Amino acid sequence: MDPVIVVGAGPVGLALALALAQQGVSTVVLDEGGGGDDPRPARTAVLRPDTAALVERLGCATVRDEGARWTGWRTMRRKQELRRLPLGAETVPSPLHIPQHALTRGLRAAAAAEESVELVVESRVDALEQDADGVTVHTRGPKGTWWRGSHVVGCDGARSTVRKLLGVRFPGRTAVERHAVATLRTELPWPDEVVLHRQPPWRGSGSEITARPLPDDAWRLDWLLPPDGELVTPDALVTRVRDTLAGWCDGSTPPYDLLDTGVYTVHHRLARRWRVDRAFLAGDAAHLVGALGTQGLDEGLRDAENLAWKLAHTWHHGGSPALLDSYQSERRAAVAARLRAADHALPALRGTSALRAYLPGAARGHDALLTEAHLGQGPLGALPVHAHSPLAPEHSPAHVRTATETGAVVEDVRVTTPDGTSARLRDRLGQGQLLVLLVAPGTGVWDRRHWQSAGVMPRLAAAVSALPVRAELLVTEEYPGASAHAVLLVRPDGHLVAAFAGVRPAELYAAADAARGGAPAPAPSDRTADVN
């Protein structure tokens, strides 16, 4: 079988290649550059818990070694602290803050160690052809040649060559927001906590400053710039740094080591099509998002996770058009909703003080909305829900409600695996198989020999083995909002397909069939084989 061709070796392209490799799919990653990523401390990534878990599951060691988890979030307005929100496993989960070059380096190292991933540097795509059996891509450079693949995915950034070769339009808005950025080492009064300071009282500070900690006493500071496009000179940026540090440290600028600076411009764009036959777009090639604390890289990694299992199923077993079409239906709709929410909020959050004055209590509400966006919550930041997915099963009387909406990402509960060991549900994702989760209070204290042959387990195990796709049966003591003996069907990317009241083999089969798009069923031996 020809490999999947991934164009672009940034975080999204590398994550997609690794996710495919974990599901037994060979890939060729075409890198226009020379195989490295210049360190830019001012260019950092904030990953929500779901995408941070994804890159760690893909073997990216730098997530643990070079990323920072925050212990709290502070919101300030003028001279007052309005809110302090503790962050952690028992409260609001903390995002992961990591330099983007470190993230890319970790993913590249994981890809280099993976036999089924071929990294090809200095290879710029300049032609793309498709036929009924696959794709052919031509690259120029020292190793210029033709490459044959089953599918091609353009993860080659905002100026995507793949998108242009496909003739896909990329409409949207330019310069929605502009930020001056500096990364430095210093001591601030809030170790390991984020500060969102709106309307700071000192002159020349602008209307909003964000300080986010990094490892080794480093901080990234962002100043929201006015929309008139004023030039930010190096001297002006140093003045901003000194004035801001002094404003936060009782009027005296503490010692600091300036590591990097820059100006970051946010654009909002959305490709008209994300799939053209055997060619797909992902990451910045498909969308640009990032205003009001939202994170474009988060969305790109979700693209990779969504597409990987669908390509893997098609690569191994053949897939229906509905399965591959669902990538565009689900992910484009999710990003479009994010852009609409930002467009709706921008006039109020970035409008004039006169506008805010007419809205009693609006300032606190705006601060809360921004905080939620930065932390991956609320209308600007919450995880996507594929409520209207073409892969959703028809409603059945056997379906029951849980705290997780159908189409949403499941909670990361602790589960018992088939070999009797304990794990987190999120750790079982990404293996190209459905997960069937039984809620069975009390099983945690039973010996595995007993509970696997007791109660509903034998009947459920038989139903799982008869599904049209490979699935793993897991057990949990409890799941939010689910009653005892509820059965949850979960997609390989963690989205809930359906929940049932008890063991319903026919309904479970129908839901699994819908989740694969009604594709041809693999042979029984394929359904039970492990994919390493």
Side-chain angles (χ1 to χ4, degrees), residues 146-489:
W146 288 95
W147 299 87
R148 182 67 177 173
S150 64
H151 301 81
V152 62
V153 186
C155 304
D156 49 343
R159 296 180 175 87
S160 170
T161 299
V162 173
R163 188 184 64 241
K164 293 172 184 176
L165 291 173
L166 294 174
V168 174
R169 294 182 57 203
F170 198 38
R173 299 171 58 196
T174 300
V176 177
E177 284 187 351
R178 295 171 63 243
H179 296 261
V181 181
T183 299
L184 49 89
R185 283 196 179 92
T186 190
E187 290 188 11
L188 291 180
W190 320 278
D192 301 322
E193 294 187 348
V194 180
V195 176
L196 173 65
H197 198 160
R198 305 192 75 199
Q199 305 298 324
W202 53 90
R203 181 178 300 177
S205 61
S207 61
E208 182 178 302
I209 309 171
T210 307
R212 290 175 283 198
L214 285 160
D216 301 324
D217 298 321
W219 294 79
R220 169 169 164 166
L221 274 59
D222 289 62
W223 294 266
L224 179 65
L225 297 174
D228 57 11
E230 73 171 34
L231 180 65
V232 181
T233 65
D235 288 344
L237 190 47
V238 169
T239 299
R240 282 179 181 265
V241 170
R242 295 180 61 84
D243 290 349
T244 298
L245 296 182
W248 284 337
C249 299
D250 299 323
S252 177
T253 302
Y256 68 91
D257 181 13
L258 189 61
L259 304 177
D260 193 19
T261 62
V263 174
Y264 172 54
T265 302
V266 176
H267 309 289
H268 278 181
R269 295 188 178 277
L270 187 65
R272 292 288 192 192
R273 300 178 66 186
W274 290 28
R275 180 193 179 194
V276 180
D277 300 325
R278 290 177 172 266
F280 300 82
L281 300 174
D284 286 354
H287 51 77
L288 295 177
V289 59
L292 305 178
T294 59
Q295 297 292 322
L297 181 54
D298 255 357
E299 299 302 331
L301 292 171
R302 289 175 186 139
D303 296 344
E305 187 172 32
N306 184 290
L307 181 58
W309 73 270
K310 298 171 182 177
L311 280 178
H313 184 90
T314 302
W315 199 84
H316 286 295
H317 312 303
S320 70
L323 180 64
L324 294 180
D325 283 345
S326 70
Y327 167 67
Q328 173 175 304
S329 299
E330 293 177 350
R331 290 300 305 144
R332 191 178 187 277
V335 176
R338 191 87 71 205
L339 291 172
R340 285 194 299 271
D343 285 343
H344 180 76
L346 273 165
L349 290 170
R350 302 300 189 225
T352 64
S353 58
L355 173 62
R356 291 191 292 268
Y358 284 110
L359 303 172
R364 287 183 179 271
H366 296 166
D367 293 338
L369 184 63
L370 273 175
T371 296
E372 290 176 341
H374 280 278
L375 295 177
Q377 300 176 332
L380 291 171
L383 288 172
V385 178
H386 304 320
H388 304 290
S389 169
L391 304 183
E394 294 185 4
H395 179 73
S396 164
H399 292 174
V400 295
R401 292 181 178 272
T402 71
T404 301
E405 181 182 353
T406 300
V409 176
V410 292
E411 297 289 334
D412 188 27
V413 296
R414 185 159 292 281
V415 298
T416 301
T417 65
D419 63 2
T421 60
S422 179
R424 304 299 306 187
L425 180 57
R426 191 170 280 160
D427 294 336
R428 311 306 293 180
L429 301 176
Q431 303 301 315
Q433 61 188 0
L434 297 175
L435 302 179
V436 178
L437 181 64
L438 171 66
V439 181
T443 53
V445 299
W446 287 21
D447 186 282
R448 175 173 173 264
R449 292 173 300 175
H450 299 303
W451 63 255
Q452 282 205 326
S453 60
V456 301
M457 280 296 293
R459 186 163 177 249
L460 181 57
V464 170
S465 66
L467 293 179
V469 287
R470 194 164 55 94
E472 181 179 46
L473 176 56
L474 304 170
V475 180
T476 184
E477 287 270 356
E478 58 181 358
Y479 188 90
S483 60
H485 300 151
V487 175
L488 281 65
L489 182 64

Side-chain angles (χ1 to χ4, degrees), residues 4 15-27 54 57-58 114 116-117 303-317 323 428-434 470 491-494 526 529-532:
V4 172
L16 176 61
L18 286 165
L20 287 168
Q22 285 191 345
Q23 299 172 60
V25 178
S26 300
T27 61
L54 168 64
R57 195 165 63 240
L58 296 175
E114 178 57 63
S116 58
V117 177
D303 296 344
E305 187 172 32
N306 184 290
L307 181 58
W309 73 270
K310 298 171 182 177
L311 280 178
H313 184 90
T314 302
W315 199 84
H316 286 295
H317 312 303
L323 180 64
R428 311 306 293 180
L429 301 176
Q431 303 301 315
Q433 61 188 0
L434 297 175
R470 194 164 55 94
R491 296 186 347 181
D493 58 357
D526 292 335
D530 290 330
V531 176
N532 296 318

